[in-house]
Amino acid sequence: MEYIQTPYELKIPSHFPDMIIPIDNPMTIEGVELGRKLFYETKLSGDNTQACATCHAPSAGFSDPEQFSTGIDGLQGDRNSMALINLGWNTSFFWDGRSKTLEEQIIQPVINPIEMHEEWKNVVVKLNADVNYRNMFFKAFNSSEIDSLKAAKAIAQFLRTLISGESKFDVMYKYENNLSLSANDQVIYQTITPSEWAGYDLFRSLNGADCFHCHNGPLMQVQKFSNNGLDAAFTDIGRGDVTGDPNDYGKFKVPTLRNIAYTAPYMHDGRFATIDEVIEHYSSGVQQSSTIDPLIEYAFQGGVQLDAFEKDLLKQFLMTLSDENFVNNPDFQEP
Amino acid sequence: MSLVVITFFSCKEDEEPECQTEPAKLSVTVQPVFGNETLYLDSVYSTVEGYDVKFIDLKFYMGNPRNGSAILTDAGLFDYRERGTLLMEGEGSYLDYSSMNANLGIHSSINHNDPAAFDNASMLNIANSNDMHWGWNPGYIFVKVEAKVDTIADGNPLFDHNVVFHIGKDENFQTLTFSNVNWSDQGSHHELPLKLDMETFLQNSAETIDLKDEFTSHTAAGQEVLSMKVMMNFKAALTTY
């Protein structure tokens, strides 16, 4: 018996590039539905209490409001849970980029002793005991055999649907680049304040906040690892742990700024509780070190030295990156 | 050098000899060097001024590589850290490219197009250009050189002097000409190896870039002279073997 899957059509904003889907994991309605159920499935954890969504809550931009997530054994790591936004365009995963594909990344939290602390073979047993899952896996993959790879593929399909591109910023982006605005865009455009535009100018100004080198384009991030001047001496060497190269010490994946209002706390270790603290860091708290990104050009004076008015403008712009349709999208919530 | 075009034939036995001919593959590579040494990112080289310099990022766009009506691809993106020495790949006969003209940068006719609208395989697509696209108005960054320099010869290797050259904008667009290029037969394809000499980049005859004093340009107002010097020196540094 063969089940014919239904292709899933991603809702990609007009100003975004195409999303490249792995040939061995095409998007299907059945796969996304299964992935969504698995994302919220506590059976993936050792004591059946935690799901992916436990540390990646939709209301928090699919991140964790806590500085460090607590695993099923009460243990905590030393990095903040990353926001899951527009992952389909990312080229590496985790703060240190140790996974090159979503499918590869998804395998890890389940078996991590300080996170879900479970073995995939046990997860497979638990899922196999549920006739609903057996049916869903069959529909998604034409196979009644459940395994970790299929589970990871399904979750990856769901994560690729988590697309955020309907914020006020998106209208600003389209407007300034002469892209057509929909009727709804035009309504939103009328609500953009002079302060938000001024904040955007500061964001992009070399002599202003100078954020745009790393937070650029429709995704509001570039695909790179950077030392953004958090520490003069590293307690976490980040990317260096993966490459073994001292030149990578203290570098971490550049995150998107989309939905930043929802994704506190900030930085790889969640050290900043508020956006104000983040702005203050780049304004006056930058620490010099051997691997600091040369694009942090005012590091020699501790940062870009914004005054209070400029900080407020910048913050107002950062608020335009909030996409309520994204965090409240019913297709993304627990089924 | 062989003058035979490498092509691949796929025929089934007992069929009429109507064969599918796969187009020949071509690639252009760039090997960064510092004088006579192979250049590696994050390694230390000495300038004639006596500074120690570590290059940490070398990227550039080569647009519209062509010879007459033959066009290899729309643009190649060199990214030494992420893509190694590969600049571009294309299809065609190397015999069509006995010499090659190209652009250092992206021509104004497409420099300000929607970067999401280019073909997925194009290096101009924003998913591939990554941090080499500034936005529609300035367009693409043509040449990116980032480095850390120790300008104080005190024996203390403190590379705290940052060098950032991000050069783009239509007025800095340059053309390149490579005459009598030598394609090498790599078996599955032919390769044109180019050389990027960063010592020449810093010491291009009279147009020296002294990293102690000339270390930043984002092609902004007031940086026109250095921006053009960076482009001209980069152009001089990029040669055939």
Side-chain angles (χ1 to χ4, degrees), chain A residues 45 56 62 85 126 139 141 147 170 181 189 200 229 273 308:
Chain A
S45 63
H56 297 281
F62 291 90
I85 301 168
K126 286 187 267 186
K139 287 183 175 179
F141 297 106
D147 61 36
D170 290 282
L181 300 182
Y189 174 76
Y200 192 17

Side-chain angles (χ1 to χ4, degrees), chain B residues 23-217:
Chain B
K25 308 282 188 195
L26 302 174
S27 70
V28 181
T29 59
V30 177
Q31 178 59 62
V33 300
F34 196 88
N36 294 323
E37 298 179 78
T38 297
L39 187 147
Y40 299 100
L41 294 176
D42 306 315
S43 292
V44 179
Y45 302 90
S46 295
T47 70
V48 294
E49 294 91 353
Y51 313 145
D52 285 343
V53 56
K54 293 196 288 189
F55 293 94
I56 61 173
D57 221 356
L58 290 176
K59 299 181 181 179
F60 70 93
Y61 266 111
M62 181 184 282
N64 198 28
R66 62 199 180 274
N67 186 27
S69 61
I71 299 174
L72 191 54
T73 184
D74 58 352
L77 173 59
F78 180 79
D79 180 344
Y80 197 26
R81 187 172 292 282
E82 296 298 325
R83 288 162 47 85
T85 59
L86 180 65
L87 171 60
M88 65 180 78
E89 293 175 304
E91 294 180 343
S93 167
Y94 75 94
L95 293 173
D96 291 337
Y97 300 95
S98 54
S99 65
M100 185 183 286
N101 295 309
N103 306 326
L104 184 56
I106 305 303
H107 192 268
S108 59
S109 60
I110 56 173
N111 192 27
H112 312 290
N113 288 2
D114 180 353
F118 287 98
D119 184 81
N120 291 336
S122 171
M123 285 298 134
L124 297 174
N125 186 294
I126 196 165
N128 300 320
S129 60
N130 196 21
D131 57 355
M132 289 291 278
H133 187 261
W134 268 318
W136 271 270
N137 184 22
Y140 291 85
I141 297 176
F142 300 162
V143 169
K144 175 179 284 191
V145 176
E146 294 176 10
K148 288 175 180 280
V149 187
D150 182 4
T151 57
I152 303 171
D154 59 356
N156 181 19
L158 190 62
F159 289 87
D160 60 349
H161 188 91
N162 291 327
V163 174
V164 176
F165 296 135
H166 291 185
I167 314 300
K169 295 188 179 176
D170 296 339
E171 59 267 29
N172 291 306
F173 174 86
Q174 298 294 318
T175 56
L176 302 165
T177 299
F178 303 106
S179 303
N180 301 316
V181 300
N182 293 311
W183 294 88
S184 65
D185 186 350
Q186 300 294 313
S188 61
H189 67 285
H190 276 78
E191 176 183 319
L192 170 58
L194 301 177
K195 178 173 67 173
L196 176 63
D197 188 341
M198 295 307 289
E199 188 173 52
T200 299
F201 171 73
L202 296 176
Q203 305 293 329
N204 179 27
S205 59
E207 293 296 326
T208 295
I209 296 175
D210 185 332
L211 295 177
K212 188 171 186 177
D213 302 317
E214 299 173 298
F215 53 85
T216 296
S217 175

